[in-house]
Amino acid sequence: MSTRFSLAILAVLALASCDRPASSPDPAPAETVAPLKIKPAAPSPTLKAVRARGTLRCGVNPELPGFAFRDNGGRWRGFNVDFCRALAAAVLGEPDKVTFVPLGNDERISALRSGKVDVLWRNTSWTFSRDAGDQLDMAAISYFDGQGFLVRRSLNLTSAVELNTAKICVQSNATSAQNLEDFFRSRGIAYTAMVFDSEEQTRAAYQADKCDALTADISALAAARSVLDDPGAHVILPDAISKEPLGPLVRQDDPAWTGIVRWTLDALILAEEHGVTKANAKEMKAGADPEARRLLGEGGYGAMLGLDADWAYRAITAGGNYGEIFERDIGGGSALKLDRGLNALWNAQKPGLLYAPPMR
């Protein structure tokens, strides 16, 4: 073979190799997400005591329609009651393993501080003095409220500033009396406070026409109106004269217990956000939403609270998610018919303030 012919063949082979696609390298192994390292929970003396006792002691309002009350059969019902049952389901496995302790305004704080109850879940506001002075923690906010005024529709009032020289019924041993004083004195409006020891006495005095207006948290006013002789004859004025963040109060000496109470409420809020309901929770355990799966047990997050994997699943299936509890007890499905307002989810069509940290 001539040298010229050999060089031609080599040139052709070289050109052919240029047109041939380069061999693909072996694909890199897919990156994997490292499993979450579960840290053991700090021991909670309160949780230990609750489990040893076999029942959760939950302090509630003695009689507040929609929030805490006994039905005709003597069974406790209401918005705050359902949260207590959810907590019992989370820590003890069953929602009915709870003892409801009715507490008036004058005894509620001392009952919690002395250990008579494990959690105070009633219409008690988060304030500086209760946090710093009474050394209590608001584990989370379950209801955003404000103080208002209930008046007779026949008075044709449109604002609280029209209550000049009015007699106003208010309950003692509550933030309501101080808020009332602040609102009227700062505006130079004369008024007379008619002070009573309990919500029942305050409501009865208003019903008996001993005062021109009844002041309390707006949610409490709606509850009071629902049991008056003629609810339609009374209207809640549009003024909200204070901020009243309500929720479960616990002692500051057990931060692990605070976390359990906080995350039980947060679990119910997250459940509504992710579409997890009492009816579909079992199905959602294997659904496409990764955060909902974690909420319902995947990954064993409960161990960080000293609980098992299904703590939130039990809390949700005890009485439903936050929205289900709201609708049934105080919303459109109840006598109170309260609007979600500030208590709507942060991402609702009409956004509210309800917001829970992510489950991750």
Side-chain angles (χ1 to χ4, degrees):
M1 183 182 294
S2 68
T3 302
R4 181 178 296 175
F5 184 71
S6 298
L7 291 173
I9 292 175
L10 290 173
V12 169
L13 291 174
L15 288 172
S17 67
C18 289
D19 292 336
R20 188 184 305 128
S23 60
S24 300
D26 293 337
E31 292 186 9
T32 58
V33 177
L36 182 73
K37 186 176 181 181
I38 302 294
K39 298 178 181 178
S44 165
T46 307
L47 177 61
K48 182 179 180 180
V50 168
R51 285 177 167 169
R53 189 190 313 128
T55 182
L56 171 74
R57 295 187 300 210
C58 196
V60 294
N61 194 292
E63 189 68 29
L64 186 62
F67 287 86
F69 64 100
R70 292 183 182 92
D71 63 18
N72 292 335
R75 180 173 172 81
W76 282 95
R77 296 190 182 279
F79 184 73
N80 293 333
V81 166
D82 279 345
F83 287 123
C84 290
R85 289 202 172 100
L87 180 58
V91 301
L92 293 174
E94 296 179 24
D96 286 332
K97 288 187 174 181
V98 53
T99 300
F100 294 101
V101 183
L103 296 170
N105 275 5
D106 56 345
E107 59 183 336
R108 52 184 169 167
I109 301 301
S110 60
L112 177 60
R113 293 185 65 185
S114 67
K116 183 178 179 180
V117 295
D118 306 305
V119 59
L120 183 65
W121 214 317
R122 69 187 303 282
N123 53 322
T124 302
S125 302
W126 187 7
T127 66
F128 178 88
S129 59
R130 285 175 181 151
D131 190 309
D134 292 326
Q135 297 183 327
L136 301 177
D137 279 336
M138 180 73 75
I141 298 173
S142 59
Y143 193 88
F144 292 91
D145 210 345
Q147 187 172 330
F149 297 88
L150 181 70
V151 298
R152 289 165 183 80
R153 191 179 295 274
S154 60
L155 295 177
N156 293 318
L157 298 178
T158 60
S159 171
V161 297
E162 299 175 274
L163 289 168
N164 190 33
T165 70
K167 293 180 180 179
I168 301 177
C169 286
V170 63
Q171 186 180 354
S172 63
N173 297 314
T175 57
S176 303
Q178 183 63 61
N179 292 336
L180 180 65
E181 173 75 7
D182 291 347
F183 179 78
F184 282 106
R185 294 303 182 211
S186 65
R187 288 162 177 78
I189 300 173
Y191 79 104
T192 300
M194 308 289 288
V195 183
F196 300 90
D197 291 336
S198 69
E199 284 176 283
E200 184 179 2
Q201 291 174 353
T202 310
R203 183 173 65 241
Y206 173 78
Q207 175 76 75
D209 209 12
K210 293 182 179 180
C211 48
D212 304 298
L214 169 62
T215 188
D217 293 349
I218 293 172
S219 62
L221 295 178
R225 180 174 58 180
S226 71
V227 295
L228 293 177
D229 293 342
D230 183 7
H234 306 268
V235 61
I236 298 173
L237 295 177
D239 311 76
I241 68 170
S242 70
K243 295 179 294 184
E244 304 297 335
L246 311 178
L249 279 170
V250 294
R251 294 178 293 276
Q252 285 183 353
D253 60 0
D254 192 348
W257 177 247
T258 303
I260 290 170
V261 176
R262 174 187 301 124
W263 275 101
T264 298
L265 174 57
D266 285 341
L268 300 182
I269 296 171
L270 286 172
E272 182 184 8
E273 182 179 335
H274 289 272
V276 181
T277 67
K278 177 180 173 70
N280 72 9
K282 185 174 182 180
E283 175 186 348
M284 293 285 283
K285 272 192 167 192
D289 186 334
E291 187 166 7
R293 291 201 310 269
R294 290 193 292 270
L295 176 66
L296 296 169
E298 185 177 280
Y301 280 64
M304 295 184 184
L305 296 172
L307 305 176
D308 64 6
D310 284 336
W311 65 277
Y313 172 81
R314 290 193 302 272
I316 296 162
T317 55
N321 63 36
Y322 181 97
E324 291 178 283
I325 292 172
F326 189 104
E327 174 69 13
R328 177 177 62 247
D329 292 325
I330 60 176
S334 73
L336 273 61
K337 300 192 181 306
L338 287 169
D339 186 72
R340 286 291 292 264
L342 295 178
N343 296 290
L345 289 173
W346 64 281
N347 60 349
Q349 187 173 4
K350 293 183 178 179
L353 299 178
L354 206 64
Y355 189 106
M359 190 75 179
R360 63 170 182 262

